[in-house]
Amino acid sequence: MNRRDFIKTVGVGAACLAAGQFSVIAKGRNQSMEIKAVKLYEKGFMTRGFALGGEIGMENVDNPTLKYRSTLQNFLIDTGKAVILVDTGMPLETPDMVVDEKTQIYLGSRIKDYVSAFKDLGYKPEQVTKILVTHKHADHTGELRSFPNAKIYMSPEEKEATEYKSDNIIGVQYKDGAYHNFPASEKIADGVYLLPAKGHTFGNSIIVAESDGLFYMMHGDVTYTDEALYENKLSVVFDDKDAARDTLNKVREFVKNNPTVYCSTHTPLGYENLEAKKVIDLDNPPKSIPPTEIVSKKATGKYICSVCGTVYDPAVGDPEHGIPAGTAFEDLPADWKCPRCKQGKDKFNKA
């Protein structure tokens, strides 16, 4: 049998194997996209009022003290040609939160710092060529510094507002036209798009990765828990409420019309959906799973913003805003706000 007849009989793949070309075939298979969760915190909670009360007020939400599960994870996209990060977790030095009766959201206990969790997935920092930032808050930008060779993509508004400064930051201009029902987009790589999604912050963005007929939406904090997506409710955290409403409307329209795996940052549903390749069906919300064991450490005297991760240390104060060193958190003025995200004192937890 000649080579042409052999190919007809057993197929191109077997012919390549017979010709000693198996490594080429294997390499081709490995080019398909992989999306992985970088898991950072576990066994936290958020109240229903916090997660759903943005437009009507926490106190007006049915059963506002009901608790949903909360975690913290970011995501990694391996295209087969490039390793791309979506956000980079809390700074290594950030202390854990401490729970009390006023806590509205608790990320849980730290599993690993971001870089360690990233390495556990089998990668090295020098492999990362691009980082896509959904928004400026510290639980999304905490370890940008650990990938000095990567280009960092974020909206112009977030580039201006972020405390992390680097020549590697690229202010995305969304120059690649409409993407489905989103009016603008920036193509980052084949099958990977960054979309404007303002509201939670003035320059908030969404990342969508296309793979095997599915759309993986990594949205930062458009919602804090998937229950809010199903119930069409905003959280209490936004810079622009009208823009946040418009973004949530667009997200819901997108998931109605496209098979979407919704990859959230602050609920274990983010990685559970990812691992199961679960497509969102807005007409059939899953049953909520209540938090189980909640572990909280001893208070240090510091306080941490539950929204963006900023730490208030009484020994340092907030001198840029007129708060001298030695000022206890309880003695801060009633109108004092988080220096980074401008949320009030009620959004801070003991650390």
XYZ file of all heavy atoms in Angstrom, residues 267-300:
260
model
N -17.936 34.927 44.672
C -18.772 33.802 45.083
C -18.150 32.529 44.534
O -17.596 32.535 43.426
C -20.218 33.944 44.581
O -20.915 32.696 44.769
C -20.269 34.302 43.103
N -18.234 31.412 45.283
C -17.694 30.167 44.747
C -18.413 29.709 43.481
O -17.901 28.865 42.745
C -17.875 29.170 45.895
C -18.919 29.773 46.784
C -18.761 31.245 46.655
N -19.577 30.275 43.195
C -20.235 29.986 41.928
C -19.348 30.369 40.751
O -19.474 29.794 39.664
C -21.574 30.729 41.841
C -22.682 30.186 42.757
C -23.814 31.199 42.870
C -23.204 28.866 42.243
N -18.431 31.310 40.963
C -17.518 31.714 39.898
C -16.686 30.559 39.392
O -16.616 30.310 38.184
N -16.051 29.823 40.315
C -15.246 28.686 39.856
C -16.078 27.421 39.700
O -15.731 26.544 38.909
C -14.027 28.451 40.753
C -14.298 28.133 42.199
C -14.708 26.868 42.594
C -14.097 29.095 43.186
C -14.930 26.566 43.924
C -14.312 28.796 44.526
C -14.728 27.532 44.895
O -14.951 27.235 46.218
N -17.191 27.308 40.408
C -18.067 26.151 40.213
C -18.673 26.164 38.817
O -18.734 25.123 38.136
C -19.155 26.124 41.291
C -18.615 25.827 42.682
C -19.625 26.038 43.795
O -20.779 26.425 43.494
O -19.266 25.823 44.970
N -19.147 27.328 38.370
C -19.656 27.450 36.999
C -18.568 27.101 35.991
O -18.810 26.405 35.006
C -20.143 28.880 36.737
C -21.401 29.246 37.496
O -22.097 28.373 38.021
N -21.691 30.532 37.575
N -17.362 27.623 36.237
C -16.252 27.391 35.320
C -15.916 25.905 35.216
O -15.790 25.362 34.107
C -15.026 28.185 35.790
C -13.727 27.973 35.020
C -13.865 28.416 33.580
C -12.578 28.720 35.708
N -15.775 25.256 36.355
C -15.363 23.855 36.352
C -16.421 22.942 35.746
O -16.093 21.921 35.131
C -15.011 23.433 37.780
C -13.746 24.128 38.290
C -13.541 24.002 39.784
O -14.394 23.375 40.464
O -12.539 24.546 40.295
N -17.697 23.313 35.881
C -18.785 22.508 35.321
C -19.194 22.964 33.921
O -20.055 22.338 33.306
C -19.993 22.567 36.244
N -18.571 24.047 33.443
C -18.979 24.669 32.173
C -20.489 24.909 32.166
O -21.186 24.656 31.186
C -18.545 23.826 30.979
C -17.037 23.678 30.847
C -16.637 22.939 29.586
C -15.111 22.855 29.464
N -14.696 22.125 28.237
N -20.986 25.423 33.285
C -22.418 25.638 33.470
C -22.860 26.921 32.766
O -22.344 28.006 33.052
C -22.758 25.720 34.957
C -24.229 25.998 35.252
C -24.505 26.046 36.737
C -25.942 26.480 37.022
N -26.928 25.605 36.363
N -23.817 26.803 31.883
C -24.340 27.943 31.138
C -25.478 28.586 31.927
O -26.376 27.899 32.432
C -24.826 27.501 29.744
C -25.563 28.629 29.036
C -23.643 27.028 28.901
N -25.449 29.893 32.033
C -26.478 30.636 32.757
C -27.823 30.524 32.042
O -27.922 30.744 30.830
C -26.083 32.122 32.885
C -24.885 32.282 33.825
C -27.260 32.973 33.370
C -25.172 31.999 35.271
N -28.863 30.197 32.810
C -30.244 30.191 32.320
C -31.039 31.091 33.249
O -31.399 30.688 34.352
C -30.790 28.772 32.314
C -32.241 28.694 31.835
O -32.842 29.755 31.561
O -32.773 27.575 31.751
N -31.300 32.318 32.811
C -31.933 33.297 33.691
C -33.331 32.882 34.130
O -33.832 33.367 35.149
C -31.986 34.659 33.001
C -30.642 35.346 32.756
C -30.842 36.669 32.027
C -29.884 35.562 34.053
N -33.968 32.004 33.375
C -35.318 31.570 33.727
C -35.324 30.431 34.739
O -36.398 30.064 35.255
C -36.074 31.130 32.471
C -36.298 32.282 31.490
O -36.515 33.408 31.966
O -36.246 32.046 30.272
N -34.159 29.882 35.018
C -34.080 28.752 35.947
C -32.901 28.935 36.905
O -31.865 28.273 36.779
C -33.938 27.446 35.169
C -35.173 27.108 34.369
O -36.187 26.690 34.924
N -35.106 27.302 33.058
N -33.032 29.838 37.868
C -31.931 30.064 38.810
C -31.696 28.845 39.679
O -32.650 28.163 40.083
C -32.428 31.249 39.648
C -33.907 31.230 39.516
C -34.195 30.701 38.134
N -30.435 28.546 39.972
C -30.148 27.416 40.863
C -30.517 27.757 42.297
O -30.618 28.921 42.683
C -28.636 27.240 40.706
C -28.140 28.602 40.331
C -29.215 29.223 39.501
N -30.744 26.733 43.099
C -31.029 26.936 44.510
C -29.775 27.414 45.219
O -28.697 26.858 45.033
C -31.535 25.643 45.139
C -31.970 25.789 46.590
C -32.515 24.490 47.138
C -32.948 24.643 48.588
N -33.501 23.361 49.138
N -29.902 28.462 46.030
C -28.752 28.996 46.756
C -28.271 27.990 47.803
O -29.077 27.306 48.448
C -29.105 30.311 47.449
O -29.358 31.327 46.503
N -26.965 27.939 47.949
C -26.348 27.103 48.972
C -25.893 28.022 50.103
O -25.100 28.938 49.878
C -25.147 26.330 48.402
C -25.596 25.445 47.237
C -24.472 25.513 49.491
C -24.442 24.799 46.488
N -26.361 27.832 51.324
C -25.967 28.734 52.424
C -24.524 28.529 52.825
O -23.950 27.451 52.616
C -26.925 28.359 53.551
C -27.295 26.935 53.262
C -27.322 26.807 51.763
N -23.906 29.550 53.418
C -22.546 29.384 53.940
C -22.532 28.336 55.040
O -23.524 28.143 55.746
C -22.191 30.763 54.497
C -23.222 31.690 53.983
C -24.431 30.888 53.668
N -21.412 27.666 55.165
C -21.268 26.684 56.239
C -20.377 27.272 57.327
O -20.705 28.294 57.916
C -20.697 25.364 55.679
O -19.484 25.643 54.946
C -21.695 24.690 54.760
N -19.258 26.670 57.575
C -18.357 27.153 58.615
C -17.747 28.493 58.229
O -17.257 28.668 57.114
C -17.238 26.137 58.845
C -16.219 26.558 59.887
C -15.048 25.595 59.952
O -14.928 24.735 59.061
O -14.261 25.716 60.896
N -17.808 29.461 59.122
C -17.204 30.768 58.898
C -16.089 30.942 59.923
O -16.326 30.928 61.138
C -18.245 31.904 59.036
C -19.322 31.755 57.949
C -17.564 33.273 58.948
C -20.499 32.685 58.126
N -14.868 31.067 59.448
C -13.699 31.154 60.313
C -13.203 32.596 60.321
O -13.013 33.210 59.272
C -12.573 30.219 59.828
C -11.345 30.363 60.709
C -13.064 28.780 59.810
N -13.007 33.153 61.498
C -12.543 34.533 61.620
C -11.410 34.593 62.641
O -11.461 33.936 63.682
C -13.691 35.449 62.053
O -13.266 36.780 62.169
N -10.395 35.370 62.361
C -9.227 35.464 63.221
C -9.377 36.588 64.246
O -10.322 37.369 64.219
C -7.974 35.689 62.367
C -7.676 34.532 61.419
C -6.415 34.766 60.619
C -6.106 33.598 59.700
N -4.860 33.803 58.910
N -8.407 36.684 65.138
C -8.404 37.714 66.172
C -8.092 39.075 65.572
O -7.239 39.211 64.712
C -7.368 37.363 67.247
C -7.354 38.308 68.430
C -6.331 37.856 69.468
C -6.296 38.820 70.644
N -5.299 38.396 71.665
N -8.787 40.090 66.056
C -8.613 41.445 65.528
C -7.232 41.993 65.869
O -6.684 41.728 66.941
C -9.691 42.362 66.092
N -6.673 42.781 64.942
C -5.342 43.362 65.103
C -5.381 44.837 65.488
O -4.342 45.412 65.800
C -4.563 43.244 63.785
O -5.231 44.008 62.777
C -4.450 41.802 63.341
